Amino acid sequence: MTALLLAGAAVAPRAGAQDDSTQKNPAKDYPKKVRLKKALPKMERASLYELPRGATAAEKPVAYAAKLGDKKMLFFDVDGNGLCGDVGIDAWVIDSKVYRYVVPIESSIMLDEWEVFLHFSADGAWVHYRPEYPTFPDVNFGSTKGGRLKTKEVKKSLRIGLQNWNRLRLRTGLPPVRLDLELSEGCMAHSRYMDVHGVTHTEIEGVELYTEAGAKAGRHGSVGPAPLSLEIQFCHSSFYHRLMLFHPHTRRVGLGEGKRRATLDGTNGREKRPWTWPVIVPAPGVHDVPRRMSHERPVPHPEIFGSGRSITSAGFPITLTFETSKITDVTAELRIGGPEGAEVPFKLSWPEKPANAEKPTNFKSICLLPLEHLKPRMTYWATVAYSYRRKADERTFRFRTGK
């Protein structure tokens, strides 16, 4: 189901197409409800996920509009059975031009930091829902050494961090993630460890503030200075750390912040879901793309961006990430202003020719790294040809930078 275009069409719902036998009391378990209204979306949106085996998409999936809290939503009856709540098949999106891709309906969806549980009525006329606010970790988890934390400020930072992370995923066509308390406690513990010992992925057993949960979060997470929103921004504009944010299988995440340090865990809460690879960042068609590369370690292409030239002089990385590293025969071009515009110089890497020998799989990615900052408010066109699992393919897409 690659790049299925979803637009409104007039098809009447069919009563009884959804099995409600397992739900004894929707009114109690889903106390809020809103009527679904057929809609004609103002723009077409593409889908990047795969349908389960045996499911097929209707030629013109029907759209239904509803408002959940302060969010205007669109739900799509992808398979054309008259309902729009089939898990893993039907789709949803926040009704905004910012979000160009729909994502699959699952048992719950994330709207910023809120987890929203859904139940669609058997007649297809209503969606019942229950919003739940996440439980954030205790800011004093572990030890209070390293400076006293202010509970209100830290929890606000975690809330904003989760919100920013989910908005970036939606812009990339990926389902949002939910906060996991256990993973977040590990991130909090590691952030407190770093407040004393400095930025590090490794905790040393027996030293001050060491915990097993913190060591796990540090080993598998992304670490950096607080607040969390800066660490998420850093990851977005990096190559290696970016994949922490944008893996399709990530469902649960950990967030932690100390007095000066922050930790993200996007690897320990993964569960496989059907997906159409590769994941492309920036996603085709998106606007307001950052222009610069983050100060990442290890440095991609150290022969260029070594001691004499900072990696931050490079432009925003363009990545195509796959499920495996079986990527060969890669060629690419990057142009500014249009498909026939001026060529933009860049360094190209993939598993056969990694950007840094320390990362020989190149994180299962093709990366176009512009040698200079991208220009503001300009449209760029990228064409990437490759073989994946011995099958030739090519992607051409465009994106527009921000200020």
Side-chain angles (χ1 to χ4, degrees), residues 79-190:
D79 58 354
N81 70 349
L83 297 163
C84 52
D86 296 322
V87 172
I89 298 175
D90 294 331
W92 67 275
V93 69
I94 297 173
D95 190 9
S96 165
K97 292 182 179 180
V98 172
Y99 304 119
R100 297 173 177 267
Y101 300 92
V102 301
V103 293
I105 287 177
E106 297 174 333
S107 58
S108 65
I109 64 175
M110 292 296 301
L111 298 180
D112 289 337
E113 69 272 27
W114 288 87
E115 185 170 11
V116 182
F117 295 84
L118 303 173
H119 173 79
F120 293 83
S121 62
D123 60 4
W126 298 86
V127 56
H128 301 254
Y129 67 100
R130 181 181 75 253
E132 291 189 2
Y133 195 68
T135 301
F136 289 96
D138 184 352
V139 298
N140 292 319
F141 176 81
S143 171
T144 59
K145 294 182 179 180
R148 184 171 180 79
L149 301 176
K150 294 183 179 179
T151 301
K152 185 176 180 180
E153 292 180 3
V154 171
K155 290 189 176 181
K156 179 181 178 180
S157 182
L158 268 59
R159 177 181 62 80
I160 293 173
L162 181 62
Q163 174 180 286
N164 291 348
W165 193 339
N166 279 335
R167 290 179 178 181
L168 284 175
R169 285 180 65 90
L170 280 174
R171 282 172 60 89
T172 311
L174 296 164
V177 294
R178 68 180 186 272
L179 189 74
D180 183 276
L181 181 59
E182 183 178 349
L183 295 180
S184 295
E185 287 178 340
C187 290
M188 285 297 300
H190 187 67

Side-chain angles (χ1 to χ4, degrees), residues 221-239:
S222 178
V223 298
L228 272 166
S229 56
L230 289 180
E231 181 63 14
I232 291 170
Q233 179 181 332
F234 159 83
C235 290
H236 184 210
S237 297
S238 72
F239 171 22

Side-chain angles (χ1 to χ4, degrees), residues 64-79:
Y64 295 91
K67 189 173 183 181
L68 274 58
D70 64 345
K71 302 292 185 185
K72 294 180 179 180
M73 307 288 296
L74 289 173
F75 296 99
F76 290 87
D77 175 17
V78 171
D79 58 354

Side-chain angles (χ1 to χ4, degrees), residues 135-383:
T135 301
F136 289 96
D138 184 352
V139 298
N140 292 319
F141 176 81
S143 171
T144 59
K145 294 182 179 180
R148 184 171 180 79
L149 301 176
K150 294 183 179 179
T151 301
K152 185 176 180 180
E153 292 180 3
V154 171
K155 290 189 176 181
K156 179 181 178 180
S157 182
L158 268 59
R159 177 181 62 80
I160 293 173
L162 181 62
Q163 174 180 286
N164 291 348
W165 193 339
N166 279 335
R167 290 179 178 181
L168 284 175
R169 285 180 65 90
L170 280 174
R171 282 172 60 89
T172 311
L174 296 164
V177 294
R178 68 180 186 272
L179 189 74
D180 183 276
L181 181 59
E182 183 178 349
L183 295 180
S184 295
E185 287 178 340
C187 290
M188 285 297 300
H190 187 67
S191 298
R192 300 290 278 150
Y193 181 94
M194 291 191 295
D195 277 345
V196 173
H197 302 288
V199 175
T200 176
H201 283 284
T202 304
E203 292 193 14
I204 301 174
E205 189 171 358
V207 306
E208 183 182 11
L209 295 178
Y210 170 87
T211 63
E212 290 186 9
K216 180 181 178 181
R219 186 166 58 251
H220 297 288
S222 178
V223 298
L228 272 166
S229 56
L230 289 180
E231 181 63 14
I232 291 170
Q233 179 181 332
F234 159 83
C235 290
H236 184 210
S237 297
S238 72
F239 171 22
Y240 302 139
H241 292 76
R242 164 182 294 176
L243 309 181
M244 172 76 60
L245 302 181
F246 297 116
H247 200 290
H249 300 338
T250 301
R251 298 172 184 261
R252 299 174 292 108
V253 300
L255 300 176
E257 185 174 295
K259 195 172 182 64
R260 297 179 298 276
R261 313 297 185 191
T263 306
L264 304 175
D265 183 354
T267 61
N268 286 311
R270 291 178 180 171
E271 180 183 341
K272 191 170 184 178
R273 55 161 59 93
W275 204 258
T276 300
W277 301 84
V279 175
I280 302 175
V281 182
V286 300
H287 290 193
D288 295 321
V289 173
R291 299 168 47 217
R292 304 175 181 180
M293 173 82 175
S294 295
H295 196 280
E296 185 171 44
R297 290 289 186 271
V299 174
H301 303 290
E303 75 282 6
I304 297 176
F305 302 103
S307 58
R309 185 177 180 187
S310 172
I311 189 65
T312 57
S313 66
F316 186 80
I318 301 158
T319 54
L320 291 77
T321 301
F322 298 78
E323 191 170 19
T324 76
S325 59
K326 297 179 180 180
I327 312 158
T328 60
D329 306 321
V330 179
T331 61
E333 64 177 34
L334 180 63
R335 297 180 181 271
I336 185 170
E340 305 298 327
E343 293 187 4
V344 177
F346 62 89
K347 285 292 292 183
L348 181 65
S349 64
W350 67 98
E352 284 185 319
K353 297 182 178 180
N356 189 312
E358 294 181 21
K359 305 296 179 184
T361 67
N362 217 52
F363 282 89
K364 305 175 185 176
S365 298
I366 300 169
C367 179
L368 287 69
L369 183 61
L371 297 181
E372 305 290 344
H373 295 166
L374 302 181
K375 296 185 181 299
R377 295 181 175 177
M378 291 296 296
T379 298
Y380 286 81
W381 289 76
T383 299

Side-chain angles (χ1 to χ4, degrees), residues 40-60:
L40 292 174
K42 297 179 181 178
M43 62 176 289
E44 291 183 328
R45 290 176 169 85
S47 168
L48 301 179
Y49 66 96
E50 290 183 349
L51 291 178
R53 182 172 298 179
T56 57
E59 183 177 351
K60 292 184 177 180

